[in-house]
Amino acid sequence: MDITNALVVYSSGKRGEHEKTIKEVKSALKAHRIKSVFIEKGKETPSVAKGADIVISVGGDGTFIEAAQLIA
């Protein structure tokens, strides 16, 4: 399966290493020519995951749980 579209759910309000991780994820997706949508935790809706080949969570347990609930 080719991955062409990604949804990234991230938690906000964190600095330092967290911001660096988000930048690295963006860079890696771009390098592999994967279209991506970045959505802040709590602002996502189930429809945003439509068409995503992969859902990536950048944050803690709560961010992962919210991202996982988007997957049908």
Side-chain angles (χ1 to χ4, degrees):
M1 173 184 186
D2 290 331
I3 297 174
T4 58
N5 296 295
L7 170 64
V8 181
V9 179
Y10 65 93
S11 58
S12 66
K14 297 181 181 179
R15 300 279 184 247
E17 197 64 32
H18 185 72
E19 287 180 334
K20 183 179 175 184
T21 300
I22 292 170
K23 287 181 183 178
E24 288 293 326
V25 170
K26 284 181 182 180
S27 178
L29 292 170
K30 185 176 180 179
H32 290 279
R33 296 187 176 129
I34 297 172
K35 296 176 189 173
S36 58
V37 174
F38 283 71
I39 302 284
E40 186 178 335
K41 173 186 156 190
K43 296 184 178 179
E44 71 280 354
T45 61
S47 63
V48 76
K50 281 194 181 256
D53 300 312
I54 188 170
V55 177
I56 300 168
S57 168
V58 180
D61 294 348
T63 307
F64 175 79
I65 290 168
E66 285 197 31
Q69 291 175 349
L70 298 172
I71 302 169

